[in-house]
Amino acid sequence: MRLATLRNGTPDGALAVVSGDGHRYLSTAAVAPTLQAALDDWRRVEGPLRRLAVAVESGEGVPLDDRALVAPLPRAWQWLDGSAFDAHGRLMTRLFGLQAKQADRPLMYQGLSHQFLGPCDDVPLPRESDDIDFEGEFGVVTDAVPMGVSSSQAAAHIVLVVIVNDWSLRALAREEMKTGFGWVQAKPACSLGPYAITPDALGTGWDRHRAQLRLRVEVNGARFGDPHGGEMSVGFDELIAHAAATRTLCAGTIVGSGTVSNDDYLTTGSSCIAERRAIELLEHGAATTPFLRFGDRVRISAIDRSGRSPLGAIDQRVVNSRATDVSAAEGAV
Amino acid sequence: MRLATLRNGTPDGALAVVSGDGHRYLSTAAVAPTLQAALDDWRRVEGPLRRLAVAVESGEGVPLDDRALVAPLPRAWQWLDGSAFDAHGRLMTRLFGLQAKQADRPLMYQGLSHQFLGPCDDVPLPRESDDIDFEGEFGVVTDAVPMGVSSSQAAAHIVLVVIVNDWSLRALAREEMKTGFGWVQAKPACSLGPYAITPDALGTGWDRHRAQLRLRVEVNGARFGDPHGGEMSVGFDELIAHAAATRTLCAGTIVGSGTVSNDDYLTTGSSCIAERRAIELLEHGAATTPFLRFGDRVRISAIDRSGRSPLGAIDQRVVNSRATDVSAAEGAV
């Protein structure tokens, strides 16, 4: 089942079930008006939503204009981002000189969740000198998770799979990481892909609680990387159990994989600039790939074995928030 | 104006205006059903709410049972906690051996906000061996803040003042801090005091964007400390500007002061156990105050010059989540 959210002038938008080819949708208003409402009551609404999905697959519904889609969850109560690709962690540790990874526990931080940018929205940021970077990731959306679940119990709480661009400001990240407090300024609003899909709908693209898909990243139309999602050192089940050790997770919590990265990074490329710069430094003694400039475009999609893109694409342009937002510009010195 | 939220079986409760003596309230249903709804539309609803406040102060309204109160915001889209009391920072740095503070920027992390415990709720935690601690803090609730505001602009976005208990699990905090990612497991749900008050209603208790009140902390009925809120090295205006440097803040964002602490800590005492243990270590060579056990009570209130407690009291008991929550107990190994 493939879900998406249509722009309707409200903060949470209108939930829709979308056909596999992405051409048609059916409103779910009679079952659940928003994705958050559906997740709050998932056990009751999953059946009716799946019946709508069968209907749209059989030809019902109306034409879908991709530009009408916002993020599946335009806001969420909680965004917890892991760092489960150890190849990325090792490279970043060498770049930043911090010994981040603890042997016995996943890495995770809590980030901004009151706003997720839609797949085609511009990305407003204040300064190129903050070293603007992207991070291509997979994410899962959970229903309500009790405190203290085991990883085997946690697996049943994975409701939907999404792709994420975890925008990062590297010049600020280095400073904030030294404090031990995690990132605030270095992590502005993330972006989500257009579709949130139940794991079963990914077929062989979902196994061992990991997305078995390549994450294809393009910058200004050129390939940047296409690392595989299967190389997570811990699965989403373990990330959820880690997150829920001392808290309940509310329905609609989004848990991220961290930057997708593979051991054979020289072949697969990277899904963030900082990692490519670390590789350049290791291989050639100097980092040459620049961070993003205003006007640059980043496209992220997840590709299955058949070359299809079941989670859709995030395709955005970075813009100067001070040029586009009068109130923000007034606040800037 | 003093606002509170009544338990009504919904996630956000029912907003009420409360009299200065805390004895009576008036429902705000005709103006805004919840505090989040009021904050989303603050410019329009502030006037009508203040008229209700005048009415309740003149004797209108119905008797208030404190036990009916939940947190003013039982959930919020964003909780950003600073660490603006440098005395606390210096002591914790000596205890943990981390050089956290950067000279030119406030410390801040993003924490769990989908659940704020009410002022009298039990605090369910899984293990005493996690080193259960409290952190007494002041907090402010904002309306919508644009990206890039200056601190002078930020001041106008301070809508309400609250007290906070930022529950902390110190054994986990030490490990998580080393990663640079900030805290997830070490920071379970916080608690809020019963009242959210406009700064003007605090009179001399609010000045220079800081709460000019003592934060009185008692553990199992005994004084633990009563440091003064005026010693923040940066005010809430600067904390908000820091938070909004690369993001918008949504209405209902809660910004925390960090643990209240004074330079003359030997006189004022502390508002968390970890700090008292650091002082014991410095003064006597060994930390002797134990962390909390299940059944222990922590009471936090803010006292003005007249000995009144305008923000009410948080008075809670720590309990074993695995003994009180069947689903959580099932998940525990």
Side-chain angles (χ1 to χ4, degrees), chain A residues 94-223:
Chain A
R94 290 178 74 166
L95 187 66
F96 287 124
L98 290 170
Q99 190 57 47
K101 183 74 187 290
Q102 306 287 300
D104 58 340
R105 50 172 55 233
L107 290 166
M108 185 172 283
Y109 78 95
Q110 178 153 8
L112 188 171
S113 65
H114 66 272
Q115 179 189 27
F116 283 93
L117 299 173
C120 302
D121 289 347
D122 282 345
V123 182
L125 294 170
R127 281 169 302 275
E128 292 175 339
S129 59
D130 290 338
D131 292 350
I132 301 168
D133 199 358
F134 49 87
E135 290 192 346
E137 308 194 4
F138 292 97
V140 297
V141 185
T142 74
D143 60 3
V145 180
M147 189 191 299
V149 292
S150 64
S151 56
S152 60
Q153 291 169 321
H157 295 285
I158 299 172
V159 175
L160 296 164
V161 183
V162 291
I163 53 174
V164 186
N165 189 341
D166 177 29
W167 293 97
S168 297
L169 302 170
R170 299 297 180 189
L172 300 165
R174 286 187 284 274
E175 295 310 306
E176 290 191 322
M177 215 173 165
K178 289 178 195 164
T179 69
F181 278 51
W183 303 287
V184 173
Q185 293 186 346
K187 294 285 188 180
C190 298
S191 310
L192 295 181
Y195 305 127
I197 297 196
T198 51
D200 61 281
L202 291 173
T204 58
W206 185 260
D207 188 39
R208 297 175 54 241
H209 318 298
R210 292 156 171 86
Q212 306 293 340
L213 304 163
R214 290 200 167 275
L215 196 72
R216 180 181 293 167
V217 180
E218 295 162 281
V219 176
N220 295 327
R223 173 187 181 274

Side-chain angles (χ1 to χ4, degrees), chain B residues 201-219:
Chain B
L202 292 173
T204 58
W206 186 259
D207 189 40
R208 296 175 55 241
H209 318 300
R210 294 154 169 85
Q212 305 292 342
L213 303 165
R214 292 201 166 273
L215 196 72
R216 180 181 292 167
V217 181
E218 296 161 281
V219 177

Side-chain angles (χ1 to χ4, degrees), chain B residues 118-175:
Chain B
C120 302
D121 290 347
D122 282 346
V123 183
L125 295 170
R127 281 169 302 275
E128 292 174 339
S129 60
D130 291 339
D131 294 350
I132 300 167
D133 199 356
F134 49 88
E135 290 191 346
E137 308 192 5
F138 292 97
V140 297
V141 185
T142 74
D143 61 2
V145 181
M147 190 191 298
V149 291
S150 64
S151 56
S152 61
Q153 292 170 321
H157 295 285
I158 298 173
V159 176
L160 296 164
V161 183
V162 292
I163 52 173
V164 185
N165 188 340
D166 177 30
W167 293 96
S168 297
L169 302 170
R170 299 295 180 189
L172 300 166
R174 285 186 284 274
E175 296 309 307

Side-chain angles (χ1 to χ4, degrees), chain B residues 10-286:
Chain B
T10 70
D12 297 304
L15 184 62
V17 173
V18 178
S19 61
D21 60 12
H23 292 170
R24 293 180 319 287
Y25 75 94
L26 272 171
S27 166
T28 68
V31 178
T34 68
L35 182 49
Q36 182 65 53
L39 292 160
D40 285 338
D41 201 13
W42 189 252
R43 287 188 189 186
R44 190 183 65 77
V45 304
E46 182 181 1
L49 289 177
R50 285 190 180 271
R51 285 193 283 279
L52 288 174
V54 170
V56 78
E57 216 53 66
S58 71
E60 289 188 43
V62 294
L64 175 64
D65 177 355
D66 278 354
R67 293 167 297 183
L69 296 180
V70 294
L73 277 176
R75 56 181 179 176
W77 293 106
Q78 188 168 239
W79 156 240
L80 294 167
D81 196 12
S83 182
F85 290 91
D86 285 358
H88 175 75
R90 283 190 294 270
L91 286 163
M92 298 301 278
T93 297
R94 290 178 74 166
L95 188 66
F96 288 124
L98 291 169
Q99 190 58 49
K101 183 74 188 290
Q102 306 286 302
D104 57 339
R105 49 172 56 234
L107 290 165
M108 186 172 282
Y109 77 94
Q110 178 153 7
L112 188 170
S113 64
H114 67 272
Q115 178 190 26
F116 283 92
L117 299 173
C120 302
D121 290 347
D122 282 346
V123 183
L125 295 170
R127 281 169 302 275
E128 292 174 339
S129 60
D130 291 339
D131 294 350
I132 300 167
D133 199 356
F134 49 88
E135 290 191 346
E137 308 192 5
F138 292 97
V140 297
V141 185
T142 74
D143 61 2
V145 181
M147 190 191 298
V149 291
S150 64
S151 56
S152 61
Q153 292 170 321
H157 295 285
I158 298 173
V159 176
L160 296 164
V161 183
V162 292
I163 52 173
V164 185
N165 188 340
D166 177 30
W167 293 96
S168 297
L169 302 170
R170 299 295 180 189
L172 300 166
R174 285 186 284 274
E175 296 309 307
E176 290 190 323
M177 215 174 163
K178 288 178 198 166
T179 68
F181 278 52
W183 303 287
V184 174
Q185 292 186 345
K187 293 287 188 180
C190 297
S191 309
L192 295 181
Y195 305 127
I197 297 195
T198 52
D200 62 281
L202 292 173
T204 58
W206 186 259
D207 189 40
R208 296 175 55 241
H209 318 300
R210 294 154 169 85
Q212 305 292 342
L213 303 165
R214 292 201 166 273
L215 196 72
R216 180 181 292 167
V217 181
E218 296 161 281
V219 177
N220 296 325
R223 173 187 180 274
F224 198 89
D226 56 359
H228 196 271
E231 280 194 23
M232 289 168 73
S233 59
V234 292
F236 282 107
D237 53 338
E238 291 167 273
L239 290 178
I240 291 169
H242 178 82
T246 61
R247 64 177 68 186
T248 62
L249 308 187
C250 60
T253 292
I254 309 178
V255 177
S257 66
T259 309
V260 180
S261 177
N262 291 167
D263 284 335
D264 60 337
Y265 49 74
L266 293 180
T267 307
T268 64
S270 300
S271 53
C272 75
I273 295 174
E275 181 182 304
R276 180 188 272 191
R277 288 171 60 87
I279 295 166
E280 289 168 344
L281 202 59
L282 295 172
E283 296 287 321
H284 311 297

Side-chain angles (χ1 to χ4, degrees), chain A:
Chain A
M1 177 165 59
R2 177 188 300 222
L3 298 171
T5 296
L6 296 158
R7 185 178 288 110
N8 70 350
T10 70
D12 298 304
L15 184 62
V17 173
V18 178
S19 61
D21 61 12
H23 292 170
R24 293 180 318 288
Y25 76 94
L26 272 170
S27 165
T28 67
V31 178
T34 67
L35 182 51
Q36 183 64 53
L39 292 162
D40 285 337
D41 201 14
W42 189 252
R43 286 188 190 186
R44 190 183 66 75
V45 305
E46 182 182 359
L49 289 177
R50 284 189 181 272
R51 284 193 285 280
L52 288 174
V54 170
V56 78
E57 217 51 65
S58 72
E60 289 188 42
V62 294
L64 175 64
D65 176 355
D66 278 354
R67 292 166 297 182
L69 296 180
V70 293
L73 278 177
R75 57 181 179 175
W77 294 104
Q78 186 168 242
W79 156 241
L80 295 166
D81 195 13
S83 180
F85 289 91
D86 284 358
H88 176 74
R90 282 191 294 269
L91 286 163
M92 297 302 277
T93 297
R94 290 178 74 166
L95 187 66
F96 287 124
L98 290 170
Q99 190 57 47
K101 183 74 187 290
Q102 306 287 300
D104 58 340
R105 50 172 55 233
L107 290 166
M108 185 172 283
Y109 78 95
Q110 178 153 8
L112 188 171
S113 65
H114 66 272
Q115 179 189 27
F116 283 93
L117 299 173
C120 302
D121 289 347
D122 282 345
V123 182
L125 294 170
R127 281 169 302 275
E128 292 175 339
S129 59
D130 290 338
D131 292 350
I132 301 168
D133 199 358
F134 49 87
E135 290 192 346
E137 308 194 4
F138 292 97
V140 297
V141 185
T142 74
D143 60 3
V145 180
M147 189 191 299
V149 292
S150 64
S151 56
S152 60
Q153 291 169 321
H157 295 285
I158 299 172
V159 175
L160 296 164
V161 183
V162 291
I163 53 174
V164 186
N165 189 341
D166 177 29
W167 293 97
S168 297
L169 302 170
R170 299 297 180 189
L172 300 165
R174 286 187 284 274
E175 295 310 306
E176 290 191 322
M177 215 173 165
K178 289 178 195 164
T179 69
F181 278 51
W183 303 287
V184 173
Q185 293 186 346
K187 294 285 188 180
C190 298
S191 310
L192 295 181
Y195 305 127
I197 297 196
T198 51
D200 61 281
L202 291 173
T204 58
W206 185 260
D207 188 39
R208 297 175 54 241
H209 318 298
R210 292 156 171 86
Q212 306 293 340
L213 304 163
R214 290 200 167 275
L215 196 72
R216 180 181 293 167
V217 180
E218 295 162 281
V219 176
N220 295 327
R223 173 187 181 274
F224 199 88
D226 56 358
H228 195 271
E231 279 194 25
M232 288 168 76
S233 59
V234 292
F236 281 107
D237 53 338
E238 291 167 272
L239 289 177
I240 292 169
H242 177 82
T246 62
R247 65 177 68 186
T248 61
L249 307 187
C250 60
T253 293
I254 309 179
V255 177
S257 66
T259 309
V260 180
S261 177
N262 291 168
D263 284 333
D264 59 337
Y265 49 74
L266 293 179
T267 307
T268 64
S270 299
S271 53
C272 75
I273 295 173
E275 181 181 304
R276 180 187 272 190
R277 287 171 60 87
I279 294 165
E280 289 167 345
L281 202 60
L282 295 173
E283 296 287 321
H284 311 296
T288 52
T289 302
F291 290 105
L292 298 178
R293 307 289 300 267
F294 294 136
D296 284 346
R297 296 197 73 88
V298 179
R299 181 184 168 89
I300 298 177
S301 57
I303 312 297
D304 69 15
R305 289 185 194 171
S306 310
R308 286 179 298 232
S309 181
L311 294 162
I314 307 173
D315 191 343
Q316 297 177 290
R317 185 180 58 150
V318 177
V319 300
N320 185 343
S321 63
R322 298 191 287 185
T324 56
D325 181 334
V326 170
S327 61
E330 285 171 357
V333 179

